[in-house]
Amino acid sequence: MPEFTLTSAPPLAGYDQSFDGVKLGAPVDLAIVSIALPLGGEVAAEKAIKSAYGAALPAPGKSVLSKDGLARLVRLSSDAAFVIFTHATPDAEPHVAEKLKGAAYTTDQTDVWSALEISGAKARTALERICPIDLHADAFADGDAARTSMEHLGTLIIRTGGDAFLLLSASSSAKSFLHAVETSIHNTA
Amino acid sequence: MIINHPHLGPRDAAEFIYLGDASLIDRPDWQDENATEKFYEYGYLRNNPAGEHQELWYHEQGDRSWLVVTRNTLTHEITKVEMARDVARARGRSK
Amino acid sequence: MRYSAFKIFTQGLTGNKGWKPVWREPDPKPEYDIVIIGGGGHGLSTAYYLAKEYGLTNVAVLEKGWLGSGNIGRNTTIIRSNYMLPGNEPFYEFSMKLWENLEQDFNYNAMISQRSILNLVHSDAQRDAFIRRGNAMFLAGADAEYADEAQLRRELPFLDFDNARFPIKGGLYQRRGGTVRHDAVAWGYARGADSRGVDIIQNCEVTGIDIENGVCRGVQTSRGPIRAKKVAMCVAGSSGRVAAMAGMRLPIESHVLQAFVSEGLKPVLPGVITFGAGHFYVSQSDKGGLVFGGDIDGYNTYAQRGNLPVVEDVAEGGMAIMPMIGRARLLRSWGGIMDMSMDGSPFIDKTHIGGLYFNGGWCYGGFKATPASGYCYAHLLARDTPHPVATEMRLDRFKRGHIIDEKGQGNQPNLH
Amino acid sequence: MTQVNRIDGGQVDRSKEVKFTFNGKHMRGFAGDTLASALLANGQRLVGRSFKYHRPRGILTSGSEEPNALVQLRSGAHQEPNTRATVTELFDGLKATSQNHRGSLEYDLMAVTDLMSRFLGAGFYYKTFMWPKAFWEKLYEPVIRKSAGLGSLSMKDDPDSYDKGFIHCDLLVIGAGPSGLSAALAAGRSGARVILADEDFTPGGRLNAETLEVDGMSGADWAAQAIAELAAMDNVRIMTRTTIYGAYDHGIYGALERCTDHLASADGKPRQVLWRIYSKRAVLAAGSTERPIAFGNNDRPGIMLAGAVRTYVNRFGVTPGQEVAVFTNNDDGWRTASDLAGKGVNVTTIIDTRDAPAVCDVPGARHIRNAAVMDTVGRKGLKSVTLTSGQVIPADCLAVSGGWNPNVHLTCHQRGRPEWRDDLSAFVPGADLPAGMAVAGAANGSMTLAAALAEGRSVANEQIKDLGFTASRKAAPKAEDEPRDCAPMWHVGESKNRAWVDQQNDVTVKDIKQSYREGFRSVEHLKRYTTLGMATDQGKTANIPALAIMAECTGKSIPETGTTIFRPPYTPIPLGALGGRARGKDFRPYRLTPSHDWAEKNGATFVEVGNWLRAQWFARPGEQGWRDSVDREALMTRKSVGICDVTTLGKIDIQGKDAAEFLNVVYANAFGKLPVGKVRYGLMLREDGICYDDGTTARMSENHFVMTTTTANAVLVFRRMEFVRQCLCPDMDVHLISTTDGWAQFAVAGPNARNLLRKVVDEAHDISNEAFPFMACGEVTVCGGTPARLFRISFSGELAYEIAVPARFGNSMMGVLMQAGEEFDAVPYGTEALGVMRIEKGHAAGNELNGQTTALNLGLGGMVSAKKDCIGKTLSQRPEMNRDDAIRLVGFRPVDRSLKLIAGSHFINKDDEAKMANDQGWMTSVAYSPSLGHSIGLGFIKSGHERMGEIVRAVSPIHDTEMDVEIVSAHFIDPEGERLRA
């Protein structure tokens, strides 16, 4: 038996609030692993991703769900992607690496980021105050993803469906980011 | 300003960091006989044109790509945006 | 015509109809001893000191627009000599001393106002760097004063001391720093040069530089060719364009610096205040406007206008240190083109072309340098040796590895 | 006071009476009034004083171009100076006071300046106040400053909040007058995403102010109907109370929405929102502004622009006077006469400069043709006007029309130049418009209602067709073309008395003539010399007449004389709105370390390090100040063990087949042969050969490295490495990703560090000195299986490790380490103790790696590998960077050990004078070393490495002090490095 035990406490754990027309919450146990496509090994890596997730890696700025619907593949740039899935223990990276069988480089990003889910009829109106990306459904469809900056904080925004968005920003500044989103909701309520 | 990213479409230039003339890609060879002179020119002298300018922008609040943007320094009109990596390869920087 | 209170009185009584033009509008002569390209502050002060201090009056200043239309006409009017490095500080202190006697020297009220300049300090490392700088200022014969937080609370109670994201821990004052009515500097120098025989030729654009066998013989202009024994470039902001006419590449990029003024307000600010944890500096003009600015936009440009992110960045800095200005309104914004040099410091030097001289690379700090720049450039043009306070402002310093980098940012102009 | 000037009609809501005060006087108006219309309704003609001569002034206009009717609005911290009464929406409880007078508005003591005006002409101050020299700052300038400025700031923090936002559209329509509405309707019907913005609170523009008809109904009704149709389209966004203030590059427009300015209280919501509008195309439909004619004493309260008089009558149901005369050089002025007469207002006279028949029949009014107003009477309110013929006409209101100028402002924001149109005697937008912008209606010189409606539609249709939309076929609304003849007249030459051109800044026709006489003839010289056009109205009513008067002086045409362009903002924008949320603690986000909560609970004092908050020290009860805490933390660490959260150091994960080769490029020293399981100190140069950053890089596996950077440079180093990767070495297989926030990393330092870690690191991992020596690294598990990374590196000079766990466990880990360290009296230490220990060890940090120093200066010259290229290598070899007397980093101690060294002191040789020529270097960092019991310092001094033992002076004239210091090795403690290998 180890003498000491560690407890997990991500910065926004347990946050879940409803406002007029907007729901805002921190998803539980969201794991994020980055995938880098080796130079010259892109085809093999994409193949490995497809066979691991049953879905092809989309184009930069897009995301898709895996065939089983449990993981989201987000293409960040020509040679980098995230896989986002629910996974509680701190071994998300080996978990993904194993699936990809060495065809790509993987790095655990779970603790680098802090996630917020925002949804509801007024979600877009609130986000308009901080998000430079055009979130109109014609311009930013389901699955679309964009890295940008909100209130001086780098943010990855993904339209997960309809009026729901997943926002990832740095975990060290998670409280400031939450404050920014809450202020937007307050100001547009 | 808006930079039309080749992969991601139009993005506010505020997401980018500006570096300078795209000639910064053409880093001299340290073993060249005039290396010191060439590095001095590379490091310090600029064409600084009033007109079309090829320049490096980094999509820091985005996909972390370096871009070569062709922009007019008199009007700010952008006529071309390329991935810097492709430009570097085209300029013979492949190993 | 000598200006005085008596003159104003007598003119007032006679309907102000006896005032004479402040300068002539001469046509260019075919040849001069010295042709200065650029009728901005530095060009005009160069002409003034050439005539007054070095007795050279067969001189023309060629200006493509109206005199004073360079950055002398579009800056935030601050004078200071709070530099740190030996290549800079003695030069700027020389400039400060020239400012202090300028109005009596050229009989024109440029409203030189030594209201003080304060650089706020927000961290211990910043304090250490400012102490280093303040001491360097003393060593060069300038004044400096370090104020702690308690003193600043007394003097500037409107600063945000209690709720600041980056607490104000003190500041470096230069009490002799301050502001000047910038246009009046151009007019005063122009009047002084003109009255001594210098031809100031407006609406005369240089379109080519004549070089024969490695020696500069004159210039082509929109008003015809002009021969000259010496040609002096003095066009900071457009240096790249003019130097290109002589086939020169420079260690300079052109960038835009925006500046801002608020509506007129009753006095609130005693001097110049500079935020140390964001991009914002401000003073209040005699007319009551808050004159403020911040960082350059950061991309190469020759367009005299900027973009919104920097406007917001500057206002954010302002609201962060003095939230009382929230209800003051921005009245006007404008942009000036800066010669951003590779180490943030300027050049006053001969070029490799005989008879062709260069003055530029002032970054966003050229205004305060106007008197010394003109004086030292005049010295170089007259004597062909650098003035003692400008010996390091050489074009070849990067080749030699003698860098004058106050901010320690390296060879990336937009970081200076 | 009753609303003596309120008449029938208009669009105010008479069912909602609104109370307000002006200079403490209680007044009433109606919902829908502006402050200006309500003041006029109450018979208040005098509302302010001018800038220079303190002339009594009234209301000139009915819009944002107003130069005179500026008031201070609200009170206390909400006080808002220089607010234009003409655009201030009346609300219940509104408080306004007049500005710029000493004594009351009616009896302003400063009005004495007006009597001295002959001595205070254009630029008088440049010619005097120079003697004696000291008097400018002591006497003259304070007097001038006190009298300058208009309104006052409260000097209190702005109590309101502001917000910003981003919106996107296919077509932005600027202005909701006839052409704007017509444009928005056309574009909206096509399905394009449209934003229609207007500065007014009721859209419609001049339609609300005129009696003209559209499609057979009143203009105002048609506007309301158009707005209703647009509001029903979900692809159209109508933004009222929103000023488009700037046109920036590539279709980005700045907009200010005033959300709560029309309410008594903002009620916790943002007062204003600053929008950045991203448009693919724009239609500028900003209308036009009427210009005055300059004549003697043309600035009296009661003299107004004719269009404004009509606005007050038609839109607000207020007549500015009971006995009105009209002075015009154009047909439009006649509409004022006709509309007023139609409402039963007594229009006595129409003075037309043209020798032409009446434009229309105005019952009861006398038409005087080929005449002009030369002077007026009535200091605080107009009483009569005097014509050039000498004829005196009693009037309490004179409506003046000099023609209309298209509002070209936004077309100039990218330095486009307007062009002169002789047929309009006005500037219209030039050809070089901001990309994507088209102009319609009066702003484009299409001055009649019918033309504006038609052009709005056609221009919008062209714009959206470019974007691939199909234009709707619905026809443009119908209206009549009203007569628009205009014979330019800029000032009345016969006037003997001063005739104002720029009313706010008190610039007269004489001033312009004097400016000409003195050689200030270009437009820019004119503006700068006389201050014309520099007031809060930016010369909207003054610039063109002034240009025309200068043209008269030069004998050239107006376009030859020059043009004036406009800069953002269109109307003044509060700095609060431009600052948005960035105030106080919200100026920038906070980054918190993973153990922040633990530190907060354990007495930490925090310090801002970039955006990070770090624990600076942990005070314990009884300690008398920070030094006590810091000394204890440093001593205890050196004696036993201390723990410090070092998460803020940048961490970059580097993977790829070419990763090692890549590191060889970015680091000055070699990394190719670093074995797996080892860490190496690395030094980075800039390309100019100056030191950039330092840190350690660990090789986790053949193709996997973990780099650390300094806290300050984490982002910059990453950016630069991406530059090398993509631009310099595009075919290296190497990939970078930041993991700074992902790992909570702790330094565990001190002789008991290993003993402590043994209790935390799972037993399977051997961390003995043999198995895990100095500079070893590896993946381990802690506390029963939690993955961790262990690095044996030391900044303190002690036996030390850095241990990293996933950030989610960071707070808990800090507690665990402290618990495990209890038996060793482990202490947490903050950045101060960290700094003390690094100075004791002579490690360079930010004060030494300040971007001005080379590897040679830092004593690290040997690290720049001769065998390979690296960034900065070649330029670091330049001669003056390698001088024999180059500065070197060394240690310093005071000769008198009781003295405290000062960072920032300069070094002067013993017998030299303290001046710049003798400057030997400077002290970079100082600390009190609790281990040595005295102050120690690091610093750069010329040839320092050859001067050990020499005594020099450390001078700090800014503190008026100096002391003798001895040059010593920078390694104050354990110079052989035995402790860290223990």
Side-chain angles (χ1 to χ4, degrees), chain C residues 134-381:
Chain C
N135 282 328
M137 292 161 66
F138 267 104
L139 294 182
D143 64 307
E145 175 188 331
Y146 190 81
D148 63 11
E149 186 195 330
Q151 181 184 341
L152 294 181
R153 276 183 185 268
R154 283 195 305 276
E155 293 179 359
L156 307 166
F158 52 82
L159 295 180
D160 190 349
F161 289 97
D162 297 320
N163 191 38
R165 174 67 180 81
F166 298 103
I168 297 167
K169 297 192 168 174
L172 180 70
Y173 267 118
Q174 184 180 25
R175 297 282 181 186
R176 285 160 68 238
T179 57
V180 179
R181 171 80 184 96
H182 56 115
D183 288 320
V185 177
W187 302 338
Y189 275 127
R191 177 167 167 268
D194 174 270
S195 67
R196 288 173 173 82
V198 172
D199 283 355
I200 300 167
I201 304 161
Q202 304 187 64
N203 301 308
C204 179
E205 182 173 3
V206 171
T207 54
I209 296 177
D210 297 333
I211 298 164
E212 297 162 18
N213 303 320
V215 177
C216 180
R217 302 291 185 193
V219 294
Q220 299 291 322
T221 79
S222 56
R223 296 174 69 174
I226 303 174
R227 306 276 292 175
K229 296 191 181 76
K230 293 181 179 178
V231 172
M233 288 185 263
C234 201
V235 288
S238 297
S239 290
R241 283 204 261 195
V242 174
M245 293 179 200
M248 287 174 65
R249 293 172 84 213
L250 296 171
I252 284 172
E253 288 179 1
S254 296
H255 286 260
V256 66
L257 177 70
Q258 298 191 63
F260 310 91
V261 64
S262 79
E263 297 178 344
L265 299 161
K266 293 295 178 199
V268 288
L269 298 183
V272 185
I273 299 172
T274 300
F275 186 22
H279 304 117
F280 180 74
Y281 61 89
V282 64
S283 66
Q284 190 169 15
S285 77
D286 283 346
K287 286 188 65 201
L290 303 177
V291 181
F292 58 101
D295 208 0
I296 57 174
D297 271 36
Y299 43 79
N300 282 54
T301 179
Y302 285 92
Q304 287 178 322
R305 59 189 176 81
N307 274 295
L308 204 41
V310 165
V311 185
E312 296 181 37
D313 183 57
V314 170
E316 288 180 3
M319 288 302 289
I321 56 163
M322 43 179 83
M324 70 156 177
I325 60 174
R327 303 177 102 83
R329 297 188 195 88
L330 167 68
L331 173 60
R332 203 163 51 243
S333 65
W334 65 94
I337 303 305
M338 309 290 131
D339 266 13
M340 295 304 295
S341 74
M342 282 288 167
D343 61 358
S345 294
F347 309 96
I348 302 175
D349 202 359
K350 300 180 195 177
T351 69
H352 67 284
I353 297 163
L356 184 64
Y357 297 74
F358 183 76
N359 174 318
W362 294 99
C363 299
Y364 43 79
F367 176 69
K368 72 182 83 67
T370 306
S373 168
Y375 204 113
C376 295
Y377 203 24
H379 182 98
L380 178 72
L381 286 163

Side-chain angles (χ1 to χ4, degrees), chain D residues 155-464:
Chain D
M155 301 295 283
K156 298 189 180 86
D157 294 357
D158 186 343
D160 278 324
S161 72
Y162 300 85
D163 207 354
K164 296 187 189 177
F166 305 84
I167 29 180
H168 304 257
C169 63
D170 295 314
L171 185 73
L172 169 66
V173 179
I174 303 162
S179 54
L181 285 171
S182 178
L185 283 169
R189 285 165 185 156
S190 78
R193 285 168 69 192
V194 176
I195 293 172
L196 173 64
D198 195 280
E199 62 180 345
D200 205 331
F201 51 92
T202 308
R206 291 294 305 173
L207 289 170
N208 294 322
E210 305 288 2
T211 48
L212 301 170
E213 291 194 342
V214 181
D215 281 350
M217 61 185 100
S218 83
D221 287 348
W222 181 83
Q225 183 186 295
I227 286 295
E229 182 182 341
L230 290 166
M233 299 180 188
D234 62 10
N235 56 325
V236 176
R237 180 164 178 160
I238 301 165
M239 301 180 75
T240 54
R241 302 185 175 98
T242 302
T243 304
I244 306 295
Y245 67 82
Y248 297 91
D249 276 316
H250 307 157
I252 301 175
Y253 289 83
L256 181 77
E257 183 179 9
R258 291 169 293 277
C259 305
T260 65
D261 278 352
H262 60 294
L263 305 174
S265 157
D267 211 15
K269 294 292 183 202
R271 176 186 168 215
Q272 298 174 336
V273 177
L274 189 93
W275 295 101
R276 300 82 148 191
I277 300 179
Y278 295 73
S279 70
K280 296 197 178 91
R281 291 284 190 280
V283 172
L284 177 68
S288 56
T289 300
E290 196 168 19
R291 58 198 184 208
I293 299 170
F295 50 85
N297 290 310
N298 60 330
D299 63 331
R300 303 209 189 278
I303 302 178
M304 299 171 70
L305 289 173
V309 171
R310 201 152 85 220
T311 303
Y312 289 113
V313 169
N314 290 335
R315 176 172 169 181
F316 298 103
V318 172
T319 179
Q322 302 296 338
E323 196 173 24
V324 180
V326 174
F327 174 33
T328 184
N329 64 355
N330 65 79
D331 293 350
D332 193 69
W334 283 79
R335 287 234 305 280
T336 298
S338 147
D339 285 3
L340 263 60
K343 286 271 162 62
V345 178
N346 178 19
V347 180
T348 63
T349 323
I350 298 160
I351 305 139
D352 197 324
T353 63
R354 301 169 296 178
D355 193 7
V359 175
C360 58
D361 181 36
V362 180
R366 192 152 58 111
H367 174 198
I368 305 179
R369 53 162 88 183
N370 200 14
V373 176
M374 188 177 75
D375 203 354
T376 70
V377 174
R379 187 161 168 78
K380 289 172 195 166
L382 184 69
K383 289 181 178 145
S384 68
V385 302
T386 310
L387 305 191
T388 41
S389 61
Q391 186 181 352
V392 175
I393 295 166
D396 61 356
C397 173
L398 178 69
V400 183
S401 181
W404 293 74
N405 289 324
N407 288 333
V408 301
H409 305 69
L410 269 79
T411 70
C412 302
H413 281 187
Q414 294 173 24
R415 300 192 66 81
R417 297 206 161 263
E419 287 166 8
W420 184 254
R421 246 175 75 179
D422 254 336
D423 61 325
L424 297 176
S425 312
F427 282 102
V428 297
D432 46 353
L433 296 173
M437 181 192 279
V439 192
N444 199 35
S446 302
M447 304 308 274
T448 68
L449 179 55
L453 291 165
E455 194 170 63
R457 173 180 174 277
S458 65
V459 165
N461 278 342
E462 272 163 44
Q463 291 280 56
I464 56 161

Side-chain angles (χ1 to χ4, degrees), chain C residues 34 36 43-59 189-199 374-375 378-379 381-382:
Chain C
I34 297 173
I36 296 166
L44 293 167
S45 79
T46 302
Y48 175 79
Y49 291 114
L50 273 173
K52 180 163 178 287
E53 302 296 330
Y54 298 93
L56 297 173
T57 54
N58 187 21
V59 173
Y189 275 127
R191 177 167 167 268
D194 174 270
S195 67
R196 288 173 173 82
V198 172
D199 283 355
Y375 204 113
H379 182 98
L381 286 163

